[in-house]
Amino acid sequence: MRPSFNSNKNVMVYDYSDLVEKSRRWAEQACTSGWIGKDTARQLADFNSSSPETLFSGNVSAEGNTRPLIVAFMGGTGVGKSSLLNRLAGKAIARAGIERPTSREVTLFHHHSLAIQHLPEQLPLAKIKIAQHEDDAKKNIVWIDMPDFDSTEQGNKQLVLQWLPHIDVLIYVVSPERYRDEKAWRLLLAEGARHAWLFVLNQWDRGQFEQYEDFNRQLHKAGFIDPIIFKTVCAENLQADDFAALESMIISLATEHIVRQLELRSLQVHKNELKQQLQYALQLLGSPQSTADAAKLWAEQWQHATELLQQGFAWPIQNLANYYAEHPGSLPSSGFGAANTLVLWDDWAQARFDDALDAFVINASQQGIPATPLKNRLSVIREKAAKIIQTQTELAARQALSNPGNVLQRGFLKFTRVCEIILPLSAMTWVGYQVFMGFYTSNMTSTHYLGADFAIHSSLLIALTWLIPFFILKKAQPSLKKSVLNGLNKGLVSGFNTIDSEVLALVENISEQHAAQTRQLAELIEQCDVSDPATIDSDSPLVRMLVG
C-alpha cells in the first residue's frame, strides 16, 4: 500500500489479502486431495480480492494522506454518461456521439497532482485514456467513464467487470427510454451490495414524471430504501436540472471519513462473499458425524460381501483341497494357480469385491461423505485384495500340511508312536526274563524247561505289541484333504479380516483428514467474521446510497 495511507487501513487490507490467499491455498490442496470439485476450487482460486485501494497502489499523491474517491459513470448504450463526464470536465474528454456502441474504452479524469505510474496488471495504462484537470475542489476524486456494459462487443463487458471491484461510488446513468433495461438490472442486483450508488435519469427533457416514479419503485425492489436520483439534461440548450446537485454531492463524499466508511463496508461485503463460498465448501465436505459413521457403513457392506464370497469360494476351495491332498509336495512357491489352473481369487471374486467397495463409496456419498478421497484411497485395497487372500490362504495351507489334524489327533498319534516303541520292548523284556528264569529253574530242579507253547505265545505277544500301535498309526492318520480344507478356510477368514482391518484403518485416516480439512475451513470462516465495524453515520448521504 502507499506509505501515505493510514496504517490501520493497511493492516486491515493486508489481513484480508492474507485471508484470500489462505483460502486459495486451501482450495488448491483440497481439490488435489479430492475433497472439493474443480469448480468449487476455481471459485475460491479466482475470488476477486480487488478493491478501490488496490487501484492506485504504488501511485503517490502529491498532497493529502488519503487516497482519492473513485467515482465511475456506468450505464447502457446511448444513455449519455460520456456526455455527463464531458459536462463535468467542461470539455470533451470522453468520446460521445450517435454511433453505437459509443464507449469502447475507459476514460480516467483526475487532478494533475495525482501521478498515476501504474495500475493493476489486468488494467494496463496503454488501454486507458487519461485526462487531467486543475480544479482543487475535485482533487480528491478520480472520475471514470466506463464502457457500455450492454454492448454487443464482448470486450466492453469484460472491461466493465474488471473495473467494477475498484469503484467506490457508481453513478448509474439511465434514460427515460432505457431505465428498465434487463441487462442493467441484472448487473445492479449482482453488484448492489458492493458499492455506493447514485442514480441519474439523464435526457430528462424527454422524460415524464411517471417514468421517474417507476424507476424509483424499481430501485426500491432492488434494495434501496431511499435512492438518490438526479434528473439531468445533456443537450446543447441546457435546461435547469440536477447536475449541479450531483456534482456537489460527489465533492461532499470525497473526504477521508467517507472513504474510510466505504472501505470498511466494501471489505466486509467481500468477506461476507468469501465466507459464503467457504461455507458452501464446508457443506460439500459433509459433517464430522457422517464421516465417523463410515466405519459402520463399511461393516454392514463387508458382512454382506464376505457371506457372498464365502459361498462362491466353496467350490474352488474343495478343488484345491483335493489337489493338494493328492499332491502334498507340489504346493507352488509363487502362490495358488502358478502350477495349475486352480485359482482361488478369480475374476468373479474381484468383481464381487469391487462391487462391495463401489457400494460402500455410494452409500458414504449419500451420507454426505466426499466420495473422491474415499474412492482414491480404496483403489489401493482393490489391487491388494487378491494378494492378501492368496498370501493368507497359502500360509494356512502350508501350516495345515506341515501339521495336519487337530490337537487331540496329534496328541493321540504321538502317544501311539511312543507305544509303538515301548510295548514291543516291554514284551521282549518280559519274554527274555521268562526264558532266563525258566532256564535257571530247570537246572535247579527237575522242572521241565519252557516248551513250544511258550515260544509261540511269546512270539505272538511281541508281534501284537508292535503290530497294534503300527496299525493304529496307519488308520488314525488325519486326512490331508480335511487338513488343507480347514487350512484354506482359516486362511480365507484371516484374509477377510486383514482386508477389513486395512479398510477400517483407511477410513479412520480419512476421518482424521476430514477433521483437519473441516478445522482449517472453520478457521477461515471464523476469520471472515473478524473486522472493524462498518458503521455508517445516520446523517450521512451514504445511508441512502447503500443497499438496505
Side-chain angles (χ1 to χ4, degrees):
M1 306 306 296
R2 288 190 297 161
S4 58
F5 281 9
N6 182 278
S7 60
N8 291 334
K9 184 201 308 180
N10 290 341
V11 173
M12 174 185 67
V13 175
Y14 173 79
D15 290 343
Y16 170 66
S17 300
D18 185 56
L19 177 60
V20 172
E21 184 59 31
K22 288 180 180 178
S23 300
R24 288 173 178 168
R25 289 199 300 267
W26 179 88
E28 182 180 354
Q29 63 84 22
C31 181
T32 302
S33 302
W35 293 104
I36 59 176
K38 292 183 179 179
D39 291 340
T40 304
R42 189 180 301 110
Q43 290 177 0
L44 288 170
D46 296 340
F47 187 81
N48 194 343
S49 60
S50 301
S51 63
E53 303 93 83
T54 62
L55 183 59
F56 293 105
S57 175
N59 296 299
V60 181
S61 178
E63 300 178 8
N65 60 356
T66 184
R67 68 166 179 83
L69 181 74
I70 314 300
V71 181
F73 289 95
M74 186 186 74
T77 305
V79 297
K81 51 188 175 56
S82 297
S83 299
L84 283 173
L85 182 57
N86 291 338
R87 183 178 174 185
L88 182 75
K91 58 183 178 180
I93 61 171
R95 182 168 54 182
I98 60 173
E99 178 191 2
R100 297 189 179 186
T102 300
S103 299
R104 298 186 181 91
E105 61 187 4
V106 174
T107 301
L108 264 63
F109 183 54
H110 62 83
H111 194 261
H112 68 86
S113 63
L114 179 63
I116 300 179
Q117 300 170 356
H118 66 273
L119 293 175
E121 293 181 0
Q122 72 274 20
L123 306 173
L125 284 171
K127 297 183 179 181
I128 298 172
K129 180 179 179 181
I130 298 178
Q132 297 182 346
H133 65 85
E134 297 181 359
D135 188 351
D136 290 342
K138 302 173 185 175
K139 66 180 180 180
N140 291 326
I141 304 173
V142 174
W143 308 82
I144 300 176
D145 181 32
M146 304 270 272
D148 303 325
F149 62 82
D150 61 347
S151 169
T152 56
E153 295 187 16
Q154 191 64 26
N156 283 10
K157 182 178 179 181
Q158 187 65 25
L159 268 178
V160 172
L161 294 177
Q162 288 175 346
W163 275 91
L164 279 176
H166 302 282
I167 307 303
D168 288 310
V169 179
L170 279 171
I171 302 178
Y172 187 64
V173 184
V174 298
S175 65
E177 295 84 3
R178 304 202 59 189
Y179 71 89
R180 275 182 167 269
D181 189 281
E182 183 180 354
K183 292 182 179 180
W185 281 112
R186 285 203 299 265
L187 183 62
L188 176 62
L189 294 175
E191 294 287 331
R194 302 176 184 176
H195 309 279
W197 294 78
L198 291 174
F199 300 95
V200 175
L201 187 54
N202 198 27
Q203 303 171 1
W204 179 242
D205 51 319
R206 301 199 301 265
Q208 299 178 3
F209 186 74
E210 289 77 8
Q211 293 172 321
Y212 173 86
E213 289 294 322
D214 188 37
F215 183 45
N216 193 24
R217 286 192 295 269
Q218 294 298 316
L219 294 177
H220 273 285
K221 293 180 181 179
F224 293 93
I225 298 175
D226 186 16
I228 301 176
I229 306 175
F230 298 95
K231 299 184 287 293
T232 60
V233 177
C234 289
E236 293 183 2
N237 298 322
L238 294 180
Q239 305 176 16
D241 61 4
D242 299 333
F243 183 82
L246 169 64
E247 186 176 15
S248 176
M249 171 69 74
I250 295 298
I251 293 175
S252 69
L253 294 174
T255 66
E256 182 176 0
H257 180 64
I258 294 294
V259 169
R260 171 67 172 172
Q261 288 184 319
L262 287 172
E263 286 176 349
L264 288 176
R265 189 177 188 279
S266 175
L267 179 64
Q268 190 56 53
V269 169
H270 279 81
K271 283 190 173 183
N272 289 338
E273 292 174 350
L274 178 60
K275 178 181 177 180
Q276 290 178 359
Q277 292 194 17
L278 293 174
Q279 287 176 331
Y280 175 71
L282 185 61
Q283 292 178 354
L284 295 179
L285 287 181
S287 66
Q289 183 59 44
S290 63
T291 309
D293 292 340
K296 182 179 179 181
L297 291 175
W298 167 249
E300 296 174 354
Q301 187 63 45
W302 186 233
Q303 181 180 1
H304 173 72
T306 51
E307 292 176 356
L308 182 61
L309 286 171
Q310 284 177 333
Q311 293 174 3
F313 282 144
W315 181 78
I317 285 180
Q318 287 284 352
N319 284 344
L320 280 173
N322 290 333
Y323 178 84
Y324 290 113
E326 298 173 0
H327 310 84
S330 62
L331 190 66
S333 59
S334 58
F336 293 134
N340 53 78
T341 59
L342 300 177
V343 179
L344 189 58
W345 189 273
D346 53 12
D347 292 340
W348 176 88
Q350 184 65 46
R352 302 291 77 74
F353 181 66
D354 290 342
D355 291 344
L357 293 181
D358 292 340
F360 171 54
V361 172
I362 293 174
N363 292 335
S365 178
Q366 292 174 349
Q367 295 295 324
I369 303 171
T372 303
L374 197 59
K375 188 175 182 179
N376 291 342
R377 298 294 299 275
L378 287 174
S379 61
V380 178
I381 306 297
R382 291 179 191 269
E383 299 174 358
K384 290 175 58 178
K387 186 175 181 180
I388 290 173
I389 295 298
Q390 171 188 305
T391 301
Q392 294 298 325
T393 51
E394 182 179 340
L395 176 61
R398 289 175 181 273
Q399 292 174 341
L401 289 173
S402 64
N403 217 0
N406 54 41
V407 175
L408 291 177
Q409 286 178 312
R410 289 193 294 272
F412 177 73
L413 291 175
K414 187 176 181 180
F415 173 75
T416 305
R417 291 190 186 96
V418 172
C419 292
E420 188 181 23
I421 298 174
I422 293 177
L423 289 179
L425 289 176
S426 300
M428 285 185 288
T429 302
W430 182 82
V431 170
Y433 175 76
Q434 293 297 326
V435 170
F436 174 78
M437 292 303 296
F439 178 76
Y440 178 77
T441 304
S442 66
N443 289 333
M444 297 291 296
T445 63
S446 58
T447 305
H448 191 275
Y449 188 62
L450 299 176
D453 290 341
F454 176 79
I456 294 172
H457 292 159
S458 60
S459 298
L460 289 174
L461 176 62
I462 293 172
L464 288 174
T465 56
W466 178 77
L467 288 173
I468 291 175
F470 177 79
F471 177 78
I472 293 175
L473 282 174
K474 289 294 184 181
K475 295 301 182 182
Q477 285 291 338
S479 170
L480 289 180
K481 177 182 176 180
K482 290 184 179 179
S483 297
V484 174
L485 186 61
N486 291 334
L488 291 174
N489 285 319
K490 181 180 178 181
L492 190 61
V493 172
S494 178
F496 286 160
N497 291 336
T498 301
I499 293 175
D500 185 34
S501 300
E502 292 204 11
V503 173
L504 289 176
L506 182 147
V507 169
E508 183 179 357
N509 181 260
I510 288 180
S511 298
E512 294 174 355
Q513 292 180 8
H514 177 270
Q517 296 288 341
T518 303
R519 183 170 57 254
Q520 294 173 17
L521 203 51
E523 291 174 355
L524 292 174
I525 293 174
E526 185 178 354
Q527 292 179 34
C528 290
D529 293 328
V530 179
S531 64
D532 295 335
T535 304
I536 305 298
D537 299 337
S538 58
D539 58 344
S540 172
L542 289 179
V543 174
R544 300 175 60 190
M545 297 169 61
L546 301 173
V547 174

